[in-house]
Amino acid sequence: MKNKEVLMRYIDDDGVVKVWPGKAKNRLLILQYLATKFEPAKKYSEQEVNLILMHFVSDYVTRRRDLIEIIF
């Protein structure tokens, strides 16, 4: 299955993650998708990150931590 097909399985037409994947490689794809919602060189406060993520995932706190883990 191609990456785009995987994303379409987990993300609705509005770009919101509807189901969190069970497989690690699919979770990584979703985290990469979420990372595209941020400008690479910009520094964000925790609150700014939360506000962005809450548009795309219900558990934005956990997803914020997940993003930090894959970045560092």
Side-chain angles (χ1 to χ4, degrees):
M1 190 176 296
K2 294 184 179 184
N3 291 351
K4 187 174 182 176
E5 292 171 348
V6 171
L7 288 175
M8 289 173 59
R9 180 200 246 166
Y10 296 104
I11 297 171
D12 69 17
D13 293 338
D14 295 323
V16 177
V17 178
K18 52 188 175 182
V19 177
W20 193 249
K23 291 184 179 182
K25 68 178 185 175
N26 293 344
R27 287 193 302 266
L28 183 58
L29 281 174
I30 300 299
L31 288 171
Q32 289 170 336
Y33 161 76
L34 292 172
T36 67
K37 306 305 176 188
F38 299 89
E39 294 177 37
K42 183 176 177 182
K43 291 187 179 185
Y44 292 88
S45 69
E46 183 177 334
Q47 184 179 15
E48 289 172 316
V49 172
N50 289 345
L51 288 171
I52 292 168
L53 288 177
M54 40 173 84
H55 292 288
F56 302 101
V57 289
S58 57
D59 186 2
Y60 60 89
V61 174
T62 301
R63 302 297 72 99
R64 183 189 70 233
R65 290 183 197 134
D66 291 343
L67 284 169
I68 291 168
E69 285 181 15
I70 66 167
I71 292 170
F72 298 105

